[in-house]
Amino acid sequence: MLEKIKALEKIALQLEPASLERKKMREAVVHYSEGFLDKIDTLKAYNTTTDKGKQILDAPIQEQGIDIETILNLIEHNIDRPGLNPASGGHLAYIPGGGIYPSSLGDFLADVTNRYAGVFYANPGAVRVENLLLRWMCDLFGFPPEAGGNLTSGGSMANLIAIVAARDFKQLKSRDFEKVVIYSTAQVHHCTLKAIKISGLYEAIQRDIPMDEHFRMDAKALEKAILEDQQNGLIPFMVMASAGTTDTGAIDPLDAVADICQAQDLWFHVDGAYGGFFVLSEEVKAKFKGIERADSIVIDPHKGLFLPYGSGALLVRNVKGLYHSQHMEANYLQDSFDDIEELSPADLSPELTKPFRGLRLWLPLQLFGVAPFRAALSEKIWLCRYFYEAIQKIDGFEVGTYPDLSVMTYRYVPKTGDANAYNLDLNNRVKEEGSVFISSTTINGLVYLRLAVLSFRTHLHTINRLLEVLTSLTKA
Ligand SMILES: *Cc1c(COP(=O)(O)O)cnc(C)c1O
């Protein structure tokens, strides 16, 4: 038996490379990532390739490993080249991604030490970091001391947890689901609709409230709908407002919606996954008035704080509601029950074992301070306003509504022919050119191009590049 154990140990020890081996791997990875960052400004924002990374399939998982150089080569050609480059400042489509460098070092440290941040008893320091970050975010939105939340993998998960918490807080019974009403606009993010489905509330009535000409929820129409529903014996339950819609960047009239939710006793949820962190920018802070009265807010550090993908957050006005929705006890966790100086993330989310997400956010905030984040967010606002003016000076272009934040729509109106088809084709031609990447949407039957400025690498020269590309591609 001892022979057997020793023989297995010898092979298993490959999982623990010695210092020199670690150095070799680490230096190869650092060398590759430095090469990537050194040329980031010249890499395409979208790379159309014929093979679409197919060679990755030529390297199946096998019993024996391969060397790090071969692996990095596979990554470079099949993963980092084809398709969208979210790390590029030229990514001006959908909601652009981030990837500030110190977050990767935070992830590196969290992974090497593998701290467990789910339960206070297991790692009080890590849990304090996560709670400190959540407190900082709650303060940004003017939430009271009894507020709290959870660091999630992204906005979709945060919206799902919020809807489940609201469902439990309002003690909805499944036999009543058919009478429950949820209010939003047609511009609400589709992940909230998915969350309604996953939370079991797919039988609930989802009311689309009309919008004003800026695609903001019409508060009067909301109030009218709620009162009518009450009279008809239905159960008005929650309003899902947006603080920055994905399509046009519109902020719903949060203060007016808060009044209505308060008077009619509805849960007031705000999806700020795209726009929430703009509360840091003095340029637009006032537009968020009323958000401090929300019951729950979703924000996405991997959007508005430029983190790499994998960081969302849910803030709840009274954290007890979230706790009662997510807390569960098990005998095998009994050793942790008494050490409750701080709330544990595992009691505020469906996740038990999870990565220590706090470090990738805490480390850059400590290292840089808040000031550069604030400046970058204001810069994005002004870049969008700059484009809004500049694009109208190019022959043939017209704009949609003035941007609330850093997303706006515009389109080219050809003198003859189908404008929708023209703009879809123009969108494709921008993609093929590749130095910048934009996307399109359809509003009231018209195809629009979208500009979304949120990458920390997008600066004035990037917007000028987009203007140049659009000028040259539409020249007669
Ligand atoms: C991106 C986005 C979401 C979804 O968040 P993920 O982090 O992609 O899961 C939800 N709502 C809005 C408004 C968004 O922009």
Side-chain angles (χ1 to χ4, degrees):
M1 186 158 72
L2 290 182
E3 298 277 287
K4 177 92 189 156
I5 291 173
K6 287 209 170 127
L8 289 170
E9 176 181 303
K10 199 163 166 239
I11 304 170
L13 271 175
Q14 287 177 39
L15 298 177
E16 180 72 287
S19 169
L20 263 180
E21 267 302 295
R22 291 202 301 272
K23 183 163 187 258
K24 190 176 154 232
M25 288 183 209
R26 183 176 63 244
E27 285 180 353
V29 167
V30 169
H31 179 74
Y32 174 73
S33 53
E34 283 302 305
F36 177 83
L37 288 181
D38 284 345
K39 53 180 194 263
I40 186 75
D41 284 339
T42 58
L43 291 176
K44 285 185 161 189
Y46 193 95
N47 212 331
T48 310
T49 63
T50 46
D51 64 309
K52 301 183 182 176
K54 213 167 183 177
Q55 276 162 32
I56 207 83
L57 305 178
D58 298 341
I61 307 302
Q62 301 177 92
E63 274 303 299
Q64 306 299 328
I66 55 179
D67 66 276
I68 189 74
E69 294 297 342
T70 311
I71 295 168
L72 288 171
N73 208 24
L74 283 168
I75 293 176
E76 176 173 13
H77 291 96
N78 299 289
I79 301 173
D80 287 345
R81 195 162 298 166
L84 172 63
N85 177 5
S88 163
H91 180 9
L92 303 166
Y94 311 112
I95 302 295
I100 49 172
Y101 189 69
S103 286
S104 73
L105 302 179
D107 281 348
F108 180 76
L109 287 174
D111 288 356
V112 168
T113 60
N114 201 26
R115 294 300 94 169
Y116 175 62
V119 174
F120 184 73
Y121 164 81
N123 195 317
V127 169
R128 283 189 207 280
V129 163
E130 300 214 340
N131 286 344
L132 176 153
L133 289 165
L134 288 159
R135 185 66 248 164
W136 173 69
M137 294 182 213
C138 285
D139 288 342
L140 289 181
F141 292 99
F143 261 14
E146 62 274 19
N150 189 254
L151 297 181
T152 65
S153 56
S156 301
M157 283 307 296
N159 273 304
L160 173 61
I161 301 170
I163 288 167
V164 169
R167 180 198 68 193
D168 295 349
F169 182 81
K170 294 285 182 192
Q171 298 181 327
L172 299 184
K173 302 274 178 296
S174 54
R175 61 173 173 272
D176 291 330
F177 280 5
E178 282 179 3
K179 286 193 245 158
V180 165
V181 196
I182 301 169
Y183 305 84
S184 56
T185 71
Q187 288 286 328
V188 77
H189 194 276
H190 75 281
C191 81
T192 58
L193 308 177
K194 209 171 170 180
I196 289 171
K197 201 170 128 195
I198 301 171
S199 68
L201 283 163
Y202 48 85
E203 290 166 310
I205 301 160
Q206 293 169 42
R207 275 239 198 285
D208 268 358
I209 301 302
M211 297 170 282
D212 67 11
E213 67 279 14
H214 282 92
F215 306 103
R216 301 177 191 133
M217 186 183 283
D218 177 343
K220 284 237 158 61
L222 172 68
E223 187 171 33
K224 188 162 165 272
I226 293 173
L227 294 176
E228 269 174 25
D229 286 338
Q230 277 168 348
Q231 273 164 15
N232 292 330
L234 300 176
I235 308 171
F237 157 54
M238 89 187 291
V239 178
M240 296 197 305
S242 304
T245 57
T246 309
D247 238 2
T248 69
I251 302 179
D252 286 329
L254 303 174
D255 215 27
V257 174
D259 285 340
I260 297 165
C261 288
Q262 202 171 338
Q264 307 305 330
D265 197 23
L266 269 72
W267 184 279
F268 176 26
H269 176 68
V270 180
D271 180 6
Y274 152 61
F277 277 108
F278 279 104
V279 79
L280 281 166
S281 164
E282 289 302 326
E283 303 315 329
V284 290
K285 189 172 187 228
K287 298 185 188 201
F288 291 86
K289 187 167 182 311
I291 201 167
E292 70 284 354
R293 298 162 67 198
D295 291 296
S296 50
I297 303 173
V298 165
I299 43 178
D300 252 354
H302 66 204
K303 289 176 178 167
L305 286 182
F306 320 114
L307 259 61
Y309 293 143
S311 280
L314 165 65
L315 311 177
V316 178
R317 169 176 208 80
N318 189 339
V319 73
K320 273 198 198 130
L322 180 58
Y323 181 85
H324 287 133
S325 171
Q326 294 291 341
H327 171 71
M328 193 120 328
E329 294 189 348
N331 291 343
Y332 41 78
L333 295 178
Q334 65 190 12
D335 302 343
S336 70
F337 291 167
D338 296 333
D339 202 355
I340 49 167
E341 197 180 315
E342 293 229 10
L343 283 174
S344 291
D347 287 328
L348 302 167
S349 125
E351 288 181 296
L352 178 57
T353 306
K354 58 167 216 154
F356 176 21
R357 293 193 183 104
L359 206 53
R360 59 189 353 242
L361 176 54
W362 182 79
L363 192 145
L365 283 170
Q366 292 289 2
L367 200 61
F368 294 145
V370 180
F373 292 93
R374 219 185 270 286
L377 286 162
S378 291
E379 179 198 21
K380 305 312 155 207
I381 296 282
W382 282 109
L383 287 175
C384 189
R385 291 174 180 173
Y386 168 77
F387 181 85
Y388 181 85
E389 296 193 349
I391 190 71
Q392 295 179 72
K393 293 183 191 139
I394 304 177
D395 241 7
F397 280 99
E398 66 174 32
V399 291
T401 54
Y402 188 78
D404 267 350
L405 297 170
S406 70
V407 171
M408 58 158 283
T409 54
Y410 58 101
R411 64 184 200 127
Y412 187 82
V413 187
K415 292 205 172 65
T416 56
D418 179 352
N420 281 0
Y422 185 93
N423 283 283
L424 289 174
D425 178 59
L426 178 57
N427 190 43
N428 269 330
R429 286 186 292 139
V430 174
K431 189 171 99 178
E432 273 157 33
E433 196 275 339
S435 67
V436 285
F437 179 63
I438 57 172
S439 58
S440 72
T441 186
T442 300
I443 297 173
N444 298 332
L446 295 181
V447 171
Y448 278 87
L449 302 175
R450 279 174 75 256
L451 171 73
V453 193
L454 199 61
S455 166
F456 69 107
R457 291 198 175 103
T458 300
H459 302 293
L460 188 57
H461 67 86
T462 330
I463 301 299
N464 284 334
R465 175 73 202 145
L466 172 62
L467 289 163
E468 272 165 37
V469 170
L470 292 171
T471 306
S472 81
L473 291 178
T474 54
K475 221 176 252 160

